[in-house]
Amino acid sequence: MDWLQVVILAVFQGLTEFLPISSSAHLILVPRLTGWEDQGLAFDVALHLGSLAAVVAYFREELMRMARAWWASFSAADVDRDARLAWWVVLATVPVCIVGLLFRDDIALGMRSPLLIAATLIGFGLLLAYADWGHRGERSEYQLSLRDALFIGFAQALALIPGTSRSGITITAALLLGLSREASARFSFLLSIPVILLAGGLETVGLIQQPQYIDWLSLTLGTLLSGISAYLCIHYFLAFIRRIGMQPFVVYRLALGGWLLWLYWV
């Protein structure tokens, strides 16, 4: 890979991992539209590592409280709100793990069509608009119930379809349940930690089984840029949606989906 490819893919991954516009769609479309060769499994692992480091660093204080409370919950008579939130993150991750393990190869090989990506960008973009306009409430992530967490977890499983957007569909589900915009995004970001960790683990296993030449300089730069862009994205996204909402991302999804339909169908 040349340096321009490294920089563009790393920044795209860092930004789109947490924006509701689908990172998988962009990482499929960018090489296809530019004619670049596939970046390889090692580089994908590096980019995910950067995104994971960013979200852990940003929520480090909350994660420490949640981890301590979760561990204490095994012996405590009463479960506090941090322990409960930690349990909801764990349980909401189960559906995507099951679906991913059962249908991973089918998704990886059969769902990379630009027309499918266009349909999911538009369809789930409209659903995000509906949730943001009509169902947004003022509940926080600490007010989620087990039923709420499972609803968001099953919604997250849909993100295995390229173009859906993991952050987009989980934020949509949380908004439909009456969470505020910021609480919806925060729970979505917390959910990303086990998902990225597990996905990165699977990719690492694949990398070990199919060794390839590793350009360590490109991997290091990609990890660094992905982490920086992801951290900035989380910070500014939370401030942005508090004031403006999800509509700019809806417009972007509709525009990108419409352009793909025109490019590959018309």
Side-chain angles (χ1 to χ4, degrees):
M1 289 189 298
D2 60 35
W3 290 111
L4 179 62
Q5 185 176 358
V6 170
V7 171
I8 289 177
L9 288 176
V11 172
F12 261 108
Q13 164 64 25
L15 293 176
T16 58
E17 181 68 43
F18 299 109
L19 293 179
I21 56 176
S22 180
S23 62
S24 60
H26 285 79
L27 290 181
I28 291 171
L29 291 172
V30 170
R32 183 185 289 261
L33 295 173
T34 58
W36 289 337
E37 293 183 2
D38 186 87
Q39 60 268 22
L41 190 56
F43 192 69
D44 284 345
V45 172
L47 296 188
H48 282 97
L49 179 61
S51 298
L52 178 63
V55 70
V56 169
Y58 191 88
F59 290 103
R60 58 191 180 278
E61 294 181 2
E62 291 92 334
L63 290 171
M64 287 297 294
R65 291 198 308 268
M66 290 167 61
R68 287 194 295 264
W70 179 80
W71 182 255
S73 71
F74 286 96
S75 58
D78 187 29
V79 177
D80 68 13
R81 69 175 201 161
D82 288 309
R84 190 162 47 249
L85 181 59
W87 276 112
W88 296 165
V89 169
V90 171
L91 293 174
T93 305
V94 173
V96 73
C97 292
I98 295 174
V99 175
L101 289 173
L102 290 177
F103 301 105
R104 183 180 178 221
D105 292 337
D106 294 330
I107 293 168
L109 298 176
M111 294 189 175
R112 299 175 70 88
S113 163
L115 290 178
L116 174 62
I117 292 173
T120 51
L121 282 168
I122 293 171
F124 288 110
L126 292 173
L127 184 60
L128 175 60
Y130 171 73
D132 192 45
W133 280 332
H135 291 269
R136 174 172 47 90
E138 297 300 330
R139 297 171 65 199
S140 78
E141 64 270 31
Y142 291 102
Q143 295 174 298
L144 287 168
S145 66
L146 172 60
R147 183 178 178 181
D148 295 334
L150 291 177
F151 177 77
I152 297 172
F154 280 107
Q156 182 173 233
L158 295 173
L160 293 169
I161 305 171
T164 302
S165 171
R166 191 209 60 81
S167 61
I169 195 62
T170 51
I171 289 172
T172 298
L175 289 170
L176 288 172
L177 292 170
L179 271 69
S180 68
R181 288 167 175 161
E182 188 176 7
S184 299
R186 289 174 67 85
F187 188 68
S188 173
F189 295 157
L190 291 173
L191 273 182
S192 74
I193 295 172
V195 171
I196 295 175
L197 189 61
L198 292 169
L202 285 175
E203 289 178 342
T204 301
V205 170
L207 185 61
I208 294 172
Q209 293 174 344
Q210 299 178 352
Q212 55 185 270
Y213 167 73
I214 296 178
D215 181 353
W216 289 106
L217 192 57
S218 295
L219 261 62
T220 302
L221 178 61
T223 303
L224 182 63
L225 290 176
S226 175
I228 293 172
S229 57
Y231 190 93
L232 293 174
C233 173
I234 294 170
H235 176 76
Y236 287 106
F237 179 70
L238 289 172
F240 181 84
I241 61 171
R242 192 181 304 125
R243 298 191 305 269
I244 299 176
M246 302 293 174
Q247 304 316 310
F249 305 105
V250 171
V251 171
Y252 177 84
R253 291 180 66 110
L254 296 181
L256 180 58
W259 180 66
L260 289 174
L261 288 176
W262 175 81
L263 194 63
Y264 288 98
W265 193 13
V266 176

